[in-house]
Amino acid sequence: MTDAHNQDLTARTGSNLYPATMRQQFGDLSLELDVPEGVWNPTPHGIHLGNMLMKLDFSNEHVLEIGTGCGIHAILLAKRGAREITITEINSETNANAVHNLRKHGVEIPIHQQVADWIHIEGANHQGGPWDTLVTNPPTAKAGKHYRRYFHDTLILDAHKLVKPGGRLIFINSSMIDISRTIALMEECAMTVRILGETSGPFRDYYFEDDQYMLEMARIPGAYQMIDGVHHERLVVFEGRLPESAAP
Ligand SMILES: C[S@@+](CC[C@H](N)C(=O)[O-])C[C@H]1O[C@@H](n2cnc3c(N)ncnc32)[C@H](O)[C@@H]1O
């Protein structure tokens, strides 16, 4: 949970890139994450994904996490048994901050860092890749793309270049970008789809500041639900298991 000081900052900036110390409990694990200015502060999406990762076993796996942010999920992957983790981000400072948080929480396994534009990751066929599992919380509300599903669709379409045959793609999806399209695309790419868990939560204030986003979600059946006059989104964590053979 963010403390009162951090909540003030959220209200002031309307953005998730403010400096904060974020405290969050995952089972009996207490995290205290240092998040400098310019690094994404975990939201309910990231926390829900974290709760689902805590139920999984990554023993002896080399996991790839794309868009690690402050490293919240990388820490959980290590605590759940990962042997090695490759993290990516849009700049080296963010990766370095994630490594700082990993080491602060006693993670000693090898952490490989890459500055990479989404799925364009070096080493997909050497230096660790293809990976056993790929984990990510893709940009959505702040995707900065005209095509909102860009990060989700490219991830699903190119997962076979990054993940071993039979390996896993684990990511979170909001109902606001159409869960049914996500499931259909994963199945069209021959993945075995499993829902690891879902939750729902109220819109973040900055959704209402983006007229285009509000318009897009108004067109998607089931994009949100009104509960006591408050917009709520569904948050679904998917596991897509890649086929044992043949790229899609
Ligand atoms: C929704 S945030 C998730 C951050 C973190 N995993 C979490 O859950 O708190 C998406 C992250 O992807 C990163 N990102 C955005 N565009 C990217 C790109 N083209 N390639 C790699 N990472 C990107 C952002 O910097 C941001 O940290």
Side-chain angles (χ1 to χ4, degrees), residues 3 42 44 76-78 82 196 213 236 246:
D3 59 26
L76 303 179
L77 292 165
L196 298 178
Y213 194 22
V236 176

Side-chain angles (χ1 to χ4, degrees), residues 92-211:
S92 56
E93 293 80 10
T94 304
N95 277 332
N97 175 248
V99 172
H100 158 79
N101 280 318
L102 279 146
R103 300 306 184 213
K104 176 177 167 178
H105 289 87
V107 174
E108 299 295 344
I109 60 169
I111 305 294
H112 311 279
Q113 309 168 46
Q114 265 194 50
V115 174
D117 182 4
W118 203 235
I119 49 171
H120 303 288
I121 294 168
E122 284 174 26
N125 289 305
H126 57 101
Q127 297 173 1
W131 287 268
D132 297 301
T133 298
L134 192 172
V135 170
T136 189
N137 173 10
T140 303
K142 299 279 185 185
K145 300 278 185 191
H146 185 76
Y147 182 71
R148 178 88 45 188
R149 292 184 52 87
Y150 176 87
F151 290 103
H152 294 75
D153 287 358
T154 53
L155 179 74
I156 295 166
L157 289 168
D158 271 356
H160 66 286
K161 296 180 184 168
L162 299 169
V163 179
K164 287 178 182 166
R168 294 179 287 182
L169 167 63
I170 297 171
F171 66 103
I172 186 156
N173 196 169
S174 164
S175 48
M176 290 173 333
I177 62 160
D178 203 340
I179 286 168
S180 66
R181 276 179 72 180
T182 299
I183 296 171
L185 189 57
M186 291 170 85
E187 290 182 343
E188 284 163 22
C189 291
M191 291 181 199
T192 305
V193 181
R194 194 159 74 100
I195 290 177
L196 298 178
E198 78 167 79
T199 187
S200 74
F203 279 15
R204 302 186 63 76
D205 288 346
Y206 53 76
Y207 297 175
F208 297 102
E209 295 163 6
D210 185 341
D211 290 343

